[in-house]
């Protein structure tokens, strides 16, 4: 069935390195994508979003890339810090309506 | 309020008891969502309210689960005759009418003993 999924359930990186978290989606009609960060004991927090008419969007230390040809979404975190350790979820919005469908999550572990 | 508020933050209940979980969304947000998250797992959709439309209940796992949203604002998720498998974190989120990302609350951790 159609779904949003992740390639790697756990990613371990060295502090200071760049991190890349990947997400695959299968519904070509999805028009809006979001990355969320969830720290232990907290609700998911919005990180960055991108609409389907874009292929790249940058924030502070984070970049989201959207490849509609292969239905792939990635989150890049520059100079990863211990505070980036969390579970990261991608989500897609499929029209009509505003419902988001969430992927299964990737745990990012930052080694000092 | 400034964010989505959920209460209680933690709830321990005996198997078979009913529980009510409360969500206070961001003022002006017309959409409200409930999700369930088991330990170390992803987000499981439960129910979605949008304005005055009939709620989307397609994610509720059984008829023991119900939710209401009064006055287009506060929502209550009720679980009747709780079972141990109901133990999870219940997350509420809201979003504005024009869409965009959700803002999540910190969740209610429910433990059924």
């Amino acid at each position: 069935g159609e779904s949003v999924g992740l390639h790697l359930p756990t990613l371990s990186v060295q502090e200071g390195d760049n991190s890349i978290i990947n997400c695959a989606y299968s519904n070509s009609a999805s028009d809006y994508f979001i990355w969320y960060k969830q720290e232990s004991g907290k609700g998911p927090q919005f990180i960055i979003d991108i609409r389907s008419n874009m292929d790249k969007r940058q924030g502070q230390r984070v970049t989201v890339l959207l490849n509609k040809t292969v239905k792939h979404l990635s989150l890049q975190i520059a100079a990863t810090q211990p505070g980036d350790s969390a579970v990261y979820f991608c989500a897609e919005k499929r029209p009509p309506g505003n419902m988001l469908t969430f992927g299964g999550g990737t745990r990012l572990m930052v080694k000092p | 309020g400034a964010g989505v508020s959920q209460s209680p933050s933690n709830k321990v209940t005996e198997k078979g008891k009913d529980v009510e979980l409360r969500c206070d969304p961001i003022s002006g947000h017309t959409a409200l969502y409930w999700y369930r998250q088991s330990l170390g797992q992803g987000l499981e959709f439960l129910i979605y309210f949008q304005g005055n439309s009939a709620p989307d209940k397609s994610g509720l796992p059984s008829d023991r689960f119900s939710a209401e949203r009064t006055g287009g604002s506060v929502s209550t998720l009720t679980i009747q005759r709780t079972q141990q498998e109901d133990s999870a974190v219940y997350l509420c989120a809201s979003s504005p009418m024009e869409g965009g990302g959700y803002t999540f609350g910190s969740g209610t951790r429910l433990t059924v003993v």
Side-chain angles (χ1 to χ4, degrees):
Chain A
E2 295 175 332
S3 65
V4 175
L6 295 170
H7 296 161
L8 298 174
T10 303
L11 178 64
S12 184
V13 300
Q14 202 72 37
E15 181 179 358
D17 288 352
N18 297 333
S19 302
I20 300 176
I21 301 171
N22 297 301
C23 181
Y25 67 97
S26 57
N27 191 328
S28 58
S30 293
D31 60 2
Y32 179 62
F33 304 86
I34 307 176
W35 281 100
Y36 283 90
K37 173 186 180 182
Q38 186 176 27
E39 296 175 279
S40 181
K42 299 182 180 179
Q45 289 181 292
F46 173 94
I47 302 174
I48 192 168
D49 61 358
I50 189 168
R51 299 202 177 275
S52 58
N53 60 353
M54 302 172 68
D55 53 20
K56 180 179 180 179
R57 189 158 189 232
Q58 288 184 294
Q60 186 177 11
R61 282 202 306 119
V62 295
T63 301
V64 55
L65 298 177
L66 176 63
N67 185 331
K68 293 181 287 294
T69 301
V70 295
K71 299 187 185 66
H72 185 267
L73 188 71
S74 68
L75 176 70
Q76 299 179 359
I77 304 174
T80 313
Q81 301 170 359
D84 295 327
S85 294
V87 176
Y88 290 81
F89 293 96
C90 63
E92 64 174 334
K93 184 177 78 68
R94 309 168 183 176
N98 296 324
M99 278 280 296
L100 293 177
T101 300
F102 288 84
T106 291
R107 181 174 300 280
L108 177 65
M109 300 174 62
V110 182
K111 297 177 288 186
Chain B
V4 176
S5 178
Q6 291 188 246
S7 62
S9 55
N10 282 283
K11 176 72 176 178
V12 179
T13 190
E14 292 181 351
K15 178 181 174 181
K17 300 282 190 181
D18 298 351
V19 294
E20 286 189 351
L21 313 180
R22 176 188 169 105
C23 174
D24 206 335
I26 291 174
S27 178
H29 278 192
T30 58
L32 186 148
Y33 314 82
W34 283 99
Y35 285 82
R36 180 168 69 174
Q37 188 175 34
S38 300
L39 185 63
Q41 300 298 312
L43 299 167
E44 177 188 4
F45 166 73
L46 297 177
I47 188 169
Y48 161 44
F49 296 88
Q50 174 63 62
N52 296 321
S53 301
D56 178 349
K57 304 179 181 180
S58 59
L60 295 178
S62 78
D63 58 8
R64 296 187 295 105
F65 288 72
S66 63
E68 63 177 20
R69 188 178 185 192
T70 54
S73 181
V74 172
S75 177
T76 302
L77 177 69
T78 301
I79 309 173
Q80 295 178 309
R81 304 180 303 282
T82 51
Q83 304 295 313
Q84 287 185 328
E85 60 263 29
D86 300 333
S87 296
V89 175
Y90 289 82
L91 290 163
C92 175
S94 68
S95 69
M97 181 175 66
E98 61 270 23
Y102 300 173
T103 301
F104 281 89
S106 295
T108 294
R109 180 175 298 277
L110 175 66
T111 304
V112 182
V113 298

